[in-house]
Amino acid sequence: MSTPHLPKVAGFSSTLTPPSQTSPVDRLAAVQDRLAGWIADLTTLHDLTERLARTDELDAALRETLAAGATLVGARRGLVTLAPADGLGTEHTVGLGLAAADLGQIETVPRESASRTRLLDGLEDCLPGGLRTGLASDIPHGSTPSTPNDLPTGLAVEGRPGTRTTADLGGDGPDTPTGHDTPTVPGAPATGEAGVADDVEPEPQADLGLVHPDIPGDETLDPRHREVAARLGFGASYALPLTTHDGTRLGVAVWLYDEPAEPTRRQRHLLELYARCATEHLARTLELARAREEIATVREELLPGRLPRMPGVRMAVRHRTGPRGGGDWYDALPLPEGALGLAVGGVTGAGPGAMAAMGRLRASLRAYAVMEGEDPVAVLSDLELLLRLTEPARTATALFAYAEPAARRIVLAGAGHCPPLIVGPDRTEWVETSLSAPLGMLACWEAPSVELSVRGGETLLLYSDGLLRRTGESTDRAYARLHAVVSAAPAAVRDDPELLADHVLHTMLPDGRDRVDDPEDVVLLVARF
């Protein structure tokens, strides 16, 4: 006798099991729970990206990226390596919870020489040392997508057990917790809530992260890799390439777990969302850092590479320039008959234009100093005429001193520049230069020179007005403070130009005011006879 069939009802198949009985209240509560999780995730991402956006230095941005990633994936340590694909600049590595010696040990892990596909070339080329070991064997034979972003959805990576890219993880799996203990993924299907989006399954996104969930237990890894992991105390790692929206590779970030572990799918998804914003911010910060380095290089090339060695005189110099590059400059050049020319000055404005004008002005002054350096007034007069004819819209200040170390005689003239300071065992005095306008402000500049004699063991301080302005005080108070700082310097400090220059800077500009982001240039030239 055959088994009786269930009666057919219109619209339903008698072979399907009836859906679970879930009340509307339970379904609504499940939806509210998921919405609360999404809001918590978005709030976390917003807070982390806001903290990242407040960083303006490359190292600070890298450290913030590492710290945020560690929070999202539940790791305690990590490192990020910048190795831009354009090849500009050297490889730069920053660690989180890792000392320089720890990073050095990671670099000692041998690197495999086996051929690799292009799938993870971008990731492998950026990984430091042994963290890149074995990537070639992680790629299935014959898989050669054109770029790292072309990883096929749902690719199951073959190779040694326990090591895989996370693209083969199609679902949350048993390691995915429920509730609000860990971040949830906006748009992911519900796991276990009957009747809540069970019929909506979005396509899984490609995941380029590389996970080593159990380094001590993976016998296929290089022995040195496992040895370093045991010595540093990490049992798993998760790496994510840093690639901008246009496909430009910047580097890779790696997070290290103390014990064998791996991030859940939800954690990886949140980290990838954060990494998209972080990578764009890092790219902008990297470009800014490169621009600053280029400005610094140009500035240094426009200034003396080193101070000359002259019998009877020792010199030291300190130069601080704002982030845009400024027009303050200095010079010290040997002149005929054993004389020495000392100069400080500055042109108006900032940026590349001011630096270029500063370079032209300094080069011109050197030429005039060689021809008629014994007459500082003639040197500055020629410089003023050149500036008025070639750059009529620009003004500049300058001070030039013609020194004869053997005779301890100095003749100087200034054009709108700060007066020098004489420092010795018995006196600390201003050199009273005549009051005159800066170069380029009058139809014809001329001012009398000043001649002075220096005693044995005395020092001449030449400086720019930025040293006074960076104090944040009025001009009179800043002058008085500089005089007091030099007068109070110990005898051993006054006898050494290097120590005296450092003493003046650190005392005049305390509390971090001697910083690279200050718009005011600072020049301090010290010559002890």
Side-chain angles (χ1 to χ4, degrees), residues 93-185:
T93 301
V94 172
L96 172 67
L98 296 172
D102 300 334
L103 296 175
Q105 289 194 50
I106 292 176
E107 286 289 347
T108 64
V109 179
R111 304 175 179 181
E112 285 193 349
S113 59
S115 61
R116 306 181 300 267
T117 64
R118 289 191 296 172
L119 175 62
L120 288 179
D121 273 350
L123 178 60
E124 180 171 359
D125 290 341
C126 298
L127 280 172
L131 291 181
R132 73 186 73 181
T133 303
L135 288 182
S137 60
D138 290 337
I139 311 303
H141 180 69
S143 175
T144 57
S146 59
T147 65
N149 292 327
D150 294 334
L151 183 62
T153 300
L155 173 64
V157 178
E158 303 169 358
R160 56 175 194 271
T163 307
R164 60 190 183 277
T165 59
T166 51
D168 61 329
L169 302 177
D172 287 347
D175 63 339
T176 304
T178 58
H180 306 296
D181 294 335
T182 59
T184 58
V185 181

Side-chain angles (χ1 to χ4, degrees), residues 267-287:
Q267 290 173 326
R268 293 192 303 271
H269 184 67
L270 278 181
L271 178 60
E272 289 179 359
L273 293 177
Y274 174 79
R276 294 176 190 173
C277 297
T279 303
E280 299 301 325
H281 180 75
L282 289 175
R284 291 190 295 269
T285 309
L286 179 61
E287 288 299 321

Side-chain angles (χ1 to χ4, degrees), residues 125-451:
D125 290 341
C126 298
L127 280 172
L131 291 181
R132 73 186 73 181
T133 303
L135 288 182
S137 60
D138 290 337
I139 311 303
H141 180 69
S143 175
T144 57
S146 59
T147 65
N149 292 327
D150 294 334
L151 183 62
T153 300
L155 173 64
V157 178
E158 303 169 358
R160 56 175 194 271
T163 307
R164 60 190 183 277
T165 59
T166 51
D168 61 329
L169 302 177
D172 287 347
D175 63 339
T176 304
T178 58
H180 306 296
D181 294 335
T182 59
T184 58
V185 181
T191 56
E193 300 96 353
V196 182
D198 286 337
D199 57 343
V200 180
E201 186 68 30
E203 294 185 4
Q205 297 179 350
D207 188 348
L208 283 180
L210 182 72
V211 60
H212 288 266
D214 186 7
I215 294 177
D218 189 353
E219 298 182 355
T220 61
L221 285 176
D222 189 283
R224 179 61 179 168
H225 191 167
R226 291 187 291 164
E227 177 186 346
V228 170
R231 182 176 301 173
L232 299 183
F234 64 88
S237 64
Y238 180 71
L240 191 68
L242 302 176
T243 306
T244 61
H245 69 282
D246 59 357
T248 302
R249 190 196 72 217
L250 296 182
V252 67
V254 184
W255 289 271
L256 305 175
Y257 295 87
D258 295 343
E259 302 292 339
E262 62 180 294
T264 65
R265 181 183 179 186
R266 295 174 178 179
Q267 290 173 326
R268 293 192 303 271
H269 184 67
L270 278 181
L271 178 60
E272 289 179 359
L273 293 177
Y274 174 79
R276 294 176 190 173
C277 297
T279 303
E280 299 301 325
H281 180 75
L282 289 175
R284 291 190 295 269
T285 309
L286 179 61
E287 288 299 321
L288 180 60
R290 286 176 173 177
R292 288 176 175 173
E293 290 178 0
E294 292 172 356
I295 289 176
T297 301
V298 172
R299 181 186 69 240
E300 295 303 324
E301 291 295 328
L302 293 175
L303 294 173
R306 61 180 180 85
L307 296 176
R309 294 181 179 271
M310 298 284 296
V313 61
R314 288 187 296 158
M315 291 176 286
V317 67
R318 298 294 183 269
H319 188 203
R320 303 289 186 270
T321 305
R324 293 182 57 200
D328 285 8
W329 54 276
Y330 67 92
D331 207 347
L333 67 156
L335 296 176
E337 300 180 359
L340 172 69
L342 301 173
V344 292
V347 300
T348 55
M355 289 193 300
M358 173 263 288
R360 293 191 293 268
L361 202 66
R362 171 180 168 264
S364 301
L365 184 139
R366 290 176 71 94
Y368 297 143
V370 171
M371 292 186 295
E372 48 193 9
E374 67 278 0
D375 186 358
V377 173
V379 172
L380 294 185
S381 297
D382 292 342
L383 195 64
E384 192 274 339
L385 177 61
L386 178 69
L387 183 68
R388 182 155 42 89
L389 293 177
T390 58
E391 300 186 56
R394 196 180 295 276
T395 61
T397 66
L399 188 146
F400 178 72
Y402 177 83
E404 296 175 327
R408 294 176 185 169
R409 172 178 172 267
I410 299 177
V411 182
L412 58 88
H417 205 80
C418 305
L421 192 62
I422 284 286
V423 183
D426 302 323
R427 61 172 176 169
T428 301
E429 299 177 355
W430 300 107
V431 178
E432 296 296 335
T433 57
S434 59
L435 183 64
S436 63
L439 304 177
M441 291 190 67
L442 301 179
C444 182
W445 176 91
E446 186 172 351
S449 61
V450 177
E451 182 175 337

